[in-house]
Amino acid sequence: MSEKSKLSGCPATGIGSMPGGDAREAAKTVTGSFADGQGMPYLAELPARGPGADMIGRTIGMLVEMYGHVEPSGWRISDRPGRDTRRARSWLGEDLDALEEFTQGYEGLLKVQAVGPWTLAAGLELRGGEAMLGDPGACRDLAGSLAEGLRAHLAEVRRRMPGAEVVLQLDEPSLTAVLLGRVRSASGYRTYRAVDRQVVESALRDVLAVAGEDGTTIVHSCAPEVPFALLRRAGADGISFDFSLLTEREEETIGEAVEGGTQLFLGVVPSTDAATTAMSDPGGSVMGVRTLWSRLGLKPGILAESVAITPSCGLAGASPAYARAALAHSARAARSLADNPE
């Protein structure tokens, strides 16, 4: 018998990023798309605004006693908070203001996203231009700074939206590359050594723990070969991934995750403008989910409470109209799954 997930009340949500640069419009879209129990609204990210609004920059703005600035090659560590860090913090405040406006009186799940410690270590440069990933001590310091920053961020969100049950999502698209030694150096001629799985798991566990004993967490990766078992051991309550990248060799771990009460956030809706036919059949969008469930021998009755439907990745590359349609379609597809699990 499967355990019940903490996230079983969430039929659908988005990943994080949205198109454009209007914080109020984005907040209006993500709250309106998932109103009346149709899904979980979230704090939108708007990377089109520029450096500091991108996922790495936004998270750097949350760090405690660690700062970053933009170089032509990307984000690099700084001694003090400069213009780029201040801009990241300003945009985060603007986005929080907008979400607070559109969630007055809201009670229910509410998601916030940040880059996880390993994707951040792969994407943030030391002063010499190499990734922090190549320095184990720097990785430990980064994870500690991130944990402190997220603790403060979650407290701020809970203060602003007191009726919400805040869910923390860590974005870890580089995690598999970190584990397999596939992250390339600045020169591109070599790769960084694979990080020990226990070290990776320990850092993730420490950062996820900032949500609190009663808090709820998700780890998202839109890369192939998601390490499901490792993420479950690290304490993730939910795992979010691109359903189209799932392979047969991962199916057993998927079944174990469901039986263990881990919520699956399945990216089945295209994240960039697709043919309108892809958005016309909510039931067709989740046909592969039903097929997988049957193949794993899982009970149809637990499908709706074990699965949430999402776009395959963030929607920053979509048109505003498509982004709205993709979120609405995710909610409709989730309803189709609940109404007809077989």
Side-chain angles (χ1 to χ4, degrees), residues 32-166:
S33 299
F34 300 121
D36 304 320
Q38 295 186 82
M40 176 166 56
Y42 57 95
L43 179 64
E45 301 161 353
L46 301 173
R49 292 182 295 198
D54 59 297
M55 57 187 268
I56 295 288
R58 161 161 284 191
T59 304
I60 287 171
M62 297 180 190
L63 297 177
V64 172
E65 296 182 359
M66 196 174 279
Y67 315 104
H69 68 275
V70 178
E71 293 280 344
S73 55
W75 282 91
R76 185 170 294 181
I77 206 75
S78 297
D79 294 323
R80 59 185 64 85
R83 177 184 60 190
D84 297 325
T85 299
R86 288 194 295 270
R87 185 166 51 209
R89 291 173 175 174
S90 174
W91 275 328
L92 175 59
E94 184 180 312
D95 294 339
L96 283 168
D97 288 344
L99 185 63
E100 183 178 7
E101 177 185 346
F102 286 97
T103 53
Q104 293 294 315
Y106 174 74
E107 295 181 354
L109 297 169
L110 177 72
K111 182 163 69 73
V112 298
Q113 306 82 218
V115 176
W118 296 107
T119 296
L120 196 58
L124 179 56
E125 298 175 354
L126 295 165
R127 290 173 183 82
E130 291 294 339
M132 295 189 85
L133 185 64
D135 184 332
C139 288
R140 285 193 295 273
D141 292 345
L142 181 62
S145 174
L146 176 61
E148 286 303 308
L150 284 175
R151 194 172 281 114
H153 178 54
L154 292 174
E156 171 73 359
V157 176
R158 288 166 178 151
R159 182 187 67 77
R160 286 171 174 258
M161 296 80 159
E165 182 182 338
V166 181

Side-chain angles (χ1 to χ4, degrees), residues 6-20:
K6 293 183 184 179
L7 290 156
S8 59
C10 170
T13 190
I15 300 302
S17 67
M18 294 287 286

Side-chain angles (χ1 to χ4, degrees), residues 14-341:
I15 300 302
S17 67
M18 294 287 286
D22 187 328
R24 290 187 77 256
E25 184 61 32
K28 182 179 178 182
T29 297
V30 298
T31 53
S33 299
F34 300 121
D36 304 320
Q38 295 186 82
M40 176 166 56
Y42 57 95
L43 179 64
E45 301 161 353
L46 301 173
R49 292 182 295 198
D54 59 297
M55 57 187 268
I56 295 288
R58 161 161 284 191
T59 304
I60 287 171
M62 297 180 190
L63 297 177
V64 172
E65 296 182 359
M66 196 174 279
Y67 315 104
H69 68 275
V70 178
E71 293 280 344
S73 55
W75 282 91
R76 185 170 294 181
I77 206 75
S78 297
D79 294 323
R80 59 185 64 85
R83 177 184 60 190
D84 297 325
T85 299
R86 288 194 295 270
R87 185 166 51 209
R89 291 173 175 174
S90 174
W91 275 328
L92 175 59
E94 184 180 312
D95 294 339
L96 283 168
D97 288 344
L99 185 63
E100 183 178 7
E101 177 185 346
F102 286 97
T103 53
Q104 293 294 315
Y106 174 74
E107 295 181 354
L109 297 169
L110 177 72
K111 182 163 69 73
V112 298
Q113 306 82 218
V115 176
W118 296 107
T119 296
L120 196 58
L124 179 56
E125 298 175 354
L126 295 165
R127 290 173 183 82
E130 291 294 339
M132 295 189 85
L133 185 64
D135 184 332
C139 288
R140 285 193 295 273
D141 292 345
L142 181 62
S145 174
L146 176 61
E148 286 303 308
L150 284 175
R151 194 172 281 114
H153 178 54
L154 292 174
E156 171 73 359
V157 176
R158 288 166 178 151
R159 182 187 67 77
R160 286 171 174 258
M161 296 80 159
E165 182 182 338
V166 181
V167 176
L168 171 63
Q169 174 182 302
L170 294 184
D171 292 319
E172 281 283 14
S174 298
L175 181 60
T176 300
V178 167
L179 288 165
L180 299 179
R182 294 175 181 170
V183 178
R184 293 204 166 275
S185 65
S187 67
Y189 293 119
R190 65 180 181 87
T191 55
Y192 293 102
R193 183 179 301 172
V195 181
D196 182 88
R197 296 180 80 86
Q198 289 186 324
V199 173
V200 169
E201 182 183 323
S202 176
L204 280 169
R205 183 182 295 109
D206 289 347
V207 176
L208 289 169
V210 305
E213 195 171 319
D214 298 324
T216 309
T217 58
I218 301 167
V219 177
H220 165 73
S221 174
C222 50
E225 302 176 75
V226 175
F228 292 98
L230 183 151
L231 295 177
R232 291 181 60 218
R233 290 195 303 270
D237 299 305
I239 301 174
S240 169
F241 58 99
D242 182 341
F243 187 71
S244 71
L245 300 179
L246 195 66
T247 63
E248 282 188 27
R249 65 176 175 270
E250 293 161 312
E251 289 186 0
E252 185 177 343
T253 57
I254 289 286
E256 290 170 355
V258 171
E259 291 292 336
T262 302
Q263 185 86 352
L264 302 181
F265 288 76
L266 306 182
V268 300
V269 179
S271 58
T272 53
D273 295 53
T276 52
T277 52
M279 306 291 282
S280 61
D281 181 11
S285 294
V286 291
M287 186 65 70
V289 179
R290 295 189 183 98
T291 301
L292 172 65
W293 217 254
S294 174
R295 195 158 61 238
L296 291 175
L298 295 167
K299 294 178 180 177
I302 66 168
L303 178 52
E305 68 182 38
S306 302
V307 161
I309 300 301
T310 74
S312 58
C313 206
L315 294 167
S319 67
Y322 181 81
R324 289 191 294 272
L327 295 181
H329 186 78
S330 296
R332 287 196 299 271
R335 278 202 305 276
S336 169
L337 208 54
D339 293 343
N340 183 18

